[in-house]
């Protein structure tokens, strides 16, 4: 009877050890699962912030394009006004050659200033477009990392 009892006691001890090991592994997995959930939560928050940044950049880009288009329209109007003035002045210019030169210089300066503004807007537009692309790539990379991490779990 004692031999059987000792044999069962050893078996119970072995089973108790295995049960403790399984319980420990279960706790470890639970802790790891919570860590992953927190990482996913943080990643979602960062993704949301990046999406908001993308939206702000898209709005800035849209506004920049609208400004650029408005300046192009103004430049076209100015060019037309310049051409109209030049034609009118040429027709009336026998004694007014000096006045025409001054007007031409003024218009040329205005055109150059508008060109400079347009170039600045084009540079801003390019910078915003690059920032938008960089942000989109970053969001894609973050998303890929999250998917990879989920697959590893």
């Amino acid at each position: 009877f004692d031999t059987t009892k000792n044999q069962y006691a050893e078996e119970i001890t072995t089973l108790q050890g295995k049960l403790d090991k399984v319980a420990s592994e279960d706790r470890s997995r639970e802790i790891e699962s919570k860590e992953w959930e927190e990482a996913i939560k943080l990643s979602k928050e960062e993704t949301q912030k990046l999406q908001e940044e993308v939206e702000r950049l898209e709005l800035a880009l849209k506004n920049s394009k609208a400004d650029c288009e408005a300046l192009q329209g103004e430049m076209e109007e100015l060019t037309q006004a310049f051409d109209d003035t030049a034609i009118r002045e040429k027709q009336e210019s026998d004694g007014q050659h000096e006045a025409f030169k001054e007007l031409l210089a003024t218009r040329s300066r205005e055109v150059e200033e508008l060109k400079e503004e347009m170039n600045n807007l084009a540079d801003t537009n390019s910078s915003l477009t690059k920032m938008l692309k960089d942000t989109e790539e970053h969001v894609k990379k973050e998303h890929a990392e999250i998917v990879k991490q989920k697959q590893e779990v």
Side-chain angles (χ1 to χ4, degrees):
F1 177 71
D2 285 339
T3 307
T4 307
K5 182 180 174 184
N6 287 339
Q7 185 180 13
Y8 284 128
E10 287 176 20
E11 194 173 320
I12 288 172
T13 303
T14 303
L15 289 174
Q16 185 63 42
K18 288 180 180 180
L19 181 62
D20 290 345
K21 182 179 177 183
V22 168
S24 175
E25 289 173 355
D26 187 46
R27 282 191 300 274
S28 294
R29 285 188 188 113
E30 187 177 318
I31 291 170
E32 186 177 348
S33 176
K34 286 181 182 179
E35 289 172 353
W36 277 108
E37 287 173 3
E38 183 63 26
I40 288 170
K41 179 183 173 189
L42 292 173
S43 180
K44 285 180 181 179
E45 290 172 359
E46 184 176 349
T47 299
Q48 179 64 30
K49 288 177 184 176
L50 290 171
Q51 286 174 340
E52 290 171 1
E53 180 67 18
V54 166
E55 290 171 5
R56 284 192 296 273
L57 289 172
E58 285 175 342
L59 179 61
L61 180 60
K62 181 181 174 184
N63 290 338
S64 178
K65 285 180 180 180
D67 290 345
C68 185
E69 289 173 4
L71 273 176
Q72 285 176 336
E74 289 177 21
M75 190 168 173
E76 288 173 8
E77 290 174 8
L78 185 61
T79 301
Q80 185 61 43
F82 175 75
D83 291 344
D84 292 347
T85 302
I87 292 169
R88 187 174 53 251
E89 287 294 320
K90 186 176 181 183
Q91 292 170 350
E92 301 171 356
S93 75
D94 278 344
Q96 301 176 346
H97 185 66
E98 214 41 51
F100 177 74
K101 283 184 177 180
E102 289 177 14
L103 182 61
L104 181 61
T106 301
R107 296 292 186 205
S108 293
R109 280 193 308 274
E110 290 175 353
V111 167
E112 289 303 318
E113 289 172 1
L114 284 173
K115 283 181 181 179
E116 184 176 326
E117 284 184 40
M118 204 162 108
N119 286 335
N120 289 341
L121 282 173
D123 291 344
T124 301
N125 188 20
S126 296
S127 296
L128 288 172
T129 301
K130 184 181 182 318
M131 287 173 65
L132 180 62
K133 287 179 182 177
D134 290 345
T135 303
E136 287 173 345
E137 288 177 17
H138 182 70
V139 167
K140 286 179 184 177
K141 286 179 183 176
E142 287 292 327
H143 183 264
E145 281 187 36
I146 290 170
V147 169
K148 182 179 178 184
Q149 289 174 355
K150 282 184 179 179
Q151 290 174 349
E152 291 176 357
V153 172

